Amino acid sequence: MFWYLTQIYHESQPPKPAFNGEPYYAGWPPSKGVEGGTEEDALYCRSAGYGSFLSGGLAGHIYGADGLWGGDIEPQAPVKMWESLQWESGAQMQHLRTFALSEGSLYQELVPRPGMVYPSRTQDVSGNRGWAYCAATADKALIMIYFEADCPQAKLRAVLPATSYKVDWFDPRQGEWQGAGTLTSDDIGRVSLPSFPSPENADWALKLKAIGGV
């Protein structure tokens, strides 16, 4: 899905923000082997939200959950709507707004640039772990990244050369920021990103904002 969002963005003239109307739904399908309401299920929902946003889905995405959209109340329903309403994945969606709007309307100028962060891909093209997503403004003064769980420590390339960036981690589970100081790119625009906060094998978002050349 994310690849198509990026395709829509780049192939539209002028570029148009896409909307992901069919992301991963909490607890669905049951055959995927992930039980609704679990941390793994919430992880997949966060990947759908942040991955869509940074892939060009600037118009938003849908959150849905098993039992919720159908208003399931029947005794035989495996999941009742009042159960899925309590799943943590739904409450965590508000944090995506906090991340996306942290620089106000500047998010509207983000361009999907998955190749700026590396490594960013695994051979698993249908999972929700190990991939990273990146978008940046045209002037590369603002860079926003989301790392799925199990991503290795990464680097950035093609950023502003010899430039200092203010770096902040964002916890998509709690909606909290953690300052990570400043980083300075080399003379060809490369920079090594800091180690993940604890827990290291969890998903994290990251924001870099240019604060001047050196």
Side-chain angles (χ1 to χ4, degrees), residues 62-170:
I62 286 175
Y63 170 81
D66 188 21
L68 181 59
W69 56 73
D72 295 346
I73 60 174
E74 297 81 4
Q76 65 271 24
V79 178
K80 314 297 190 297
M81 63 179 298
W82 53 82
E83 296 172 335
S84 56
L85 279 170
Q86 300 180 66
W87 290 350
E88 192 66 25
S89 57
Q92 290 174 349
M93 287 296 100
Q94 63 184 312
H95 305 322
L96 175 57
R97 183 181 187 276
T98 301
F99 179 68
L101 300 184
S102 61
E103 298 297 328
S105 61
L106 195 58
Y107 82 92
Q108 297 174 359
E109 300 181 24
L110 290 173
V111 179
R113 299 183 183 274
M116 285 184 70
V117 58
Y118 67 101
S120 63
R121 299 289 185 267
T122 70
Q123 293 180 333
D124 185 357
V125 298
S126 61
N128 297 87
R129 287 176 171 269
W131 283 45
Y133 304 91
C134 177
T137 53
D139 61 6
K140 301 178 183 178
L142 175 65
I143 304 168
M144 305 187 84
I145 309 169
Y146 173 71
F147 296 95
E148 292 181 338
D150 297 336
C151 278
Q153 186 174 356
K155 299 180 180 180
L156 283 178
R157 57 190 165 200
V159 304
L160 293 172
T163 300
S164 294
Y165 284 88
K166 182 178 182 295
V167 184
D168 293 284
W169 287 107
F170 183 76

